[in-house]
Amino acid sequence: MGTSASHADLATAQQIPADVLVIGGGPAGTWAAIAAAAQGARVVLADKGFCGTSGATAPAGTGLWHVDPDGDARAHAKASRYALGGELAEPAWMDRVLAQTWDNVARLQEWGYPFPTDAAGRLRCNSLQGPEYMRLMRRQAKAAGVRILDHSPALELLRDAQGTVAGAYGLRRAQGDAWAVQAGAVVLATGGCAFLSKALGCDLLTGDGALMAAEAGARLSGMEFSNAYGLGPAFSSVTKSLFYNWASFYDAAGQPIAGAGSARGRGIIA
Ligand SMILES: Cc1cc2nc3c(=O)[nH]c(=O)nc-3n(C[C@H](O)[C@H](O)[C@H](O)COP(=O)(O)OP(=O)(O)OC[C@H]3O[C@@H](n4cnc5c(N)ncnc54)[C@H](O)[C@@H]3O)c2cc1C
């Protein structure tokens, strides 16, 4: 196999065969790894930190777009998001996200994720606690037979003689050596590029997957929409905005700011 890698460690790297290599072990990576393993693939998942505690979801929480397929709830949900997003969304993708979220939440229930109940005794499935969620995802990935390499940042994609991506290599920081995985499919799931935000869990999100994809010739789209700014008190690294649904906002003189809110009115706060 030819390779574009020039790193000296590649020559002595531990070679690991796989059908599918997943780079990154947050929600995207673990769901992809579990799905591939369920199809019978040999899956290796490499994470720069520790799959289950690294990334933007693990230390905090995630709101879910969990909307009942019956009735017109989804039509309303889509219309409201479409307007919020400046009418730039694609309805077919919104349908896909809604359907996948509904299915995945059912899987999480089967796997024992502790969804809380509301006052009427119904399960509340519109948010996940990151630590519980990602601990469960790591456990499910291991149960599915996924081989997890922790503290093993991918550095570069490997390519075959035709230039097709055929794996990747990286470092095993605990062992002080390198790994190389030859795989028929590589999934880049390294999260965003929010390391300068100081937000909880984002310090290792340096955009590596986007860079590797671009180096391999991928064309990126929509990157101008990839910056989301959360609310956060100056003394805190917690910028997940669910908490602020219950917040009241005041100006420097202590006067309530009319119309300010987390789900709406963020512009007023800004
Ligand atoms: C302030 C804030 C608020 C948010 N609020 C919400 C919300 O309410 N609802 C919602 O759904 N989402 C929310 N999100 C977004 C959500 O956290 C992310 O969309 C989600 O975590 C992305 O999942 P991911 O698997 O793509 O990436 P991540 O969860 O970030 O995981 C990426 C993984 O890749 C690994 N990695 C990085 N580089 C490498 C490398 N070179 N080699 C190997 N591994 C690597 C990291 O260690 C990490 O484990 C918020 C994010 C932020 C920052």
Side-chain angles (χ1 to χ4, degrees), residues 227-252:
N227 299 358
Y229 297 93
L231 297 169
F235 55 82
S236 166
S237 62
V238 178
T239 56
K240 301 280 179 167
S241 47
L242 182 68
F243 310 108
Y244 306 115
N245 281 344
W246 295 277
S248 301
F249 297 87
Y250 301 87
D251 65 18

Side-chain angles (χ1 to χ4, degrees), residues 24 26-28 46-48 54-57 62-63 153-154 189-191 204-205 208 239-240:
D47 198 288
K48 184 185 213 172
S54 295
T57 288
T62 283
T190 56
L204 74 184
L205 302 178
D208 307 3
T239 56
K240 301 280 179 167

Side-chain angles (χ1 to χ4, degrees), residues 79 87 121 157 159 178 187 220 267:
E87 304 185 356
L157 297 174
R159 299 195 225 173
V187 178
L220 309 179

